[in-house]
Amino acid sequence: QVQLVESGGGSVQAEGSLRLSCATRGMPFSSSHMAWFRQVQGKEREGVAAISPSGSRAFYGDSVKGRFTISRNNAENTLYLQMDSLKREDTAFYYCAAQWGGIDRFSSILPSSYPYWGQGTQVTVSS
């Protein structure tokens, strides 16, 4: 059974940092494209960052470039998102997602490209 479990969310003041983790089980993690998405109630899910199976390629949404860093540890089957210089508009529910066996439009970070999802973790940024 494929499992993706996010952790590390919470409340932080603007300009602060948080590190999200996504622990995975039951999937070929080292062969999987992985991504982080976020969603605010009433809005569409937004692609935040994506990383290739080896970690050699990463892509970011325009709103987080230069502030967020996606990484992975294939030995521990875990995905990370380091979030720095947080802004109020980063407040959202954050999800990790996985896909293996080939992916289209990887750099576009599209929700439709990822069939496996975690339950999410809330990030709240206050000023």
Side-chain angles (χ1 to χ4, degrees):
Q1 182 179 1
V2 176
Q3 291 184 334
L4 293 84
V5 180
E6 300 92 338
S7 62
S11 297
V12 64
Q13 289 194 328
E15 296 303 317
S17 297
L18 280 176
R19 189 193 196 201
L20 303 184
S21 299
C22 173
T24 69
R25 295 181 63 182
M27 56 175 277
F29 183 80
S30 61
S31 301
S32 299
H33 288 84
M34 301 294 297
W36 288 98
F37 293 84
R38 66 187 182 186
Q39 190 168 23
V40 175
Q41 192 172 7
K43 294 188 177 181
E44 293 186 355
R45 196 163 290 190
E46 176 190 6
V48 174
I51 190 167
S52 63
S54 68
S56 61
R57 294 188 299 158
F59 298 96
Y60 297 90
D62 289 340
S63 61
V64 306
K65 283 180 181 177
R67 300 188 298 120
F68 290 11
T69 304
I70 189 171
S71 63
R72 63 192 298 159
N73 184 327
N74 284 352
E76 296 185 355
N77 298 327
T78 303
L79 177 72
Y80 301 99
L81 184 68
Q82 178 67 40
M83 305 186 294
D84 298 318
S85 302
L86 282 161
K87 303 176 181 180
R88 287 190 64 183
E89 50 264 43
D90 294 319
T91 295
F93 220 73
Y94 283 73
Y95 300 88
C96 64
Q99 195 279 349
W100 57 89
I103 190 169
D104 293 329
R105 303 178 66 185
F106 173 51
S107 62
S108 298
I109 320 177
L110 301 174
S112 59
S113 297
Y114 296 85
Y116 300 98
W117 293 80
Q119 294 300 307
T121 185
Q122 176 69 42
V123 171
T124 302
V125 183
S126 59
S127 58

